[in-house]
Amino acid sequence: YVRTCFSNSSLFHKALKEAFESFCNKQVTGSSSAELMANFADNLLKKIFEACDVAYFQGGTEKLSDDEIEATLDKVVELLAYISDKDLFSEFYRKKLARRLLYDKSASEDHERSILSKLKEQCGAQFTSKASQQLS
């Protein structure tokens, strides 16, 4: 949108980035955005979510396809770029991953590896090292 309407102006890119950072780092009902994003990713990656009605997310009653889950995971990782406390997200995510693995609630190991790959690309190998060890 910035490219077409504002001639790809760097000033508008900067304003858009700052607006997203401000919005994405606000607390919501006492929870940080990092915690909320980790909870969303956890729900997305659970077996229970695959079997439930996803009307809330898509306006229909179909299950999310693998491609839709991957696209949503891409968006989660993309939004993480604007979160100032990535370490807090990592901590929540690792705890929820451990629970999914311990209680056999993970919908797909491929999706688990996929989000870790995306997080590694976005935040670096050290960011995902502990979570990657959990999957091994």
Side-chain angles (χ1 to χ4, degrees), residues 13-28 31-34 79-85:
H13 278 287
K14 182 180 178 190
L16 187 62
K17 180 180 182 282
E18 288 174 1
F20 265 91
E21 286 172 347
S22 174
F23 170 80
C24 287
N25 288 295
K26 292 203 180 279
Q27 291 240 337
V28 179
S31 299
S32 69
S33 294
L79 278 176
L80 185 62
Y82 299 103
I83 300 294
S84 60
D85 201 353

Side-chain angles (χ1 to χ4, degrees), residues 20-68:
F20 265 91
E21 286 172 347
S22 174
F23 170 80
C24 287
N25 288 295
K26 292 203 180 279
Q27 291 240 337
V28 179
T29 63
S31 299
S32 69
S33 294
E35 181 180 3
L36 294 172
M37 286 178 61
N39 286 336
F40 179 76
D42 181 55
N43 287 331
L44 188 64
L45 293 166
K46 281 183 182 175
K47 283 182 183 176
I48 254 173
F49 188 81
E50 277 195 344
C52 78
D53 176 42
V54 292
Y56 180 77
F57 295 101
Q58 289 189 292
T61 58
E62 313 84 40
K63 295 179 189 176
L64 289 177
S65 70
D66 285 344
D67 289 340
E68 290 168 324

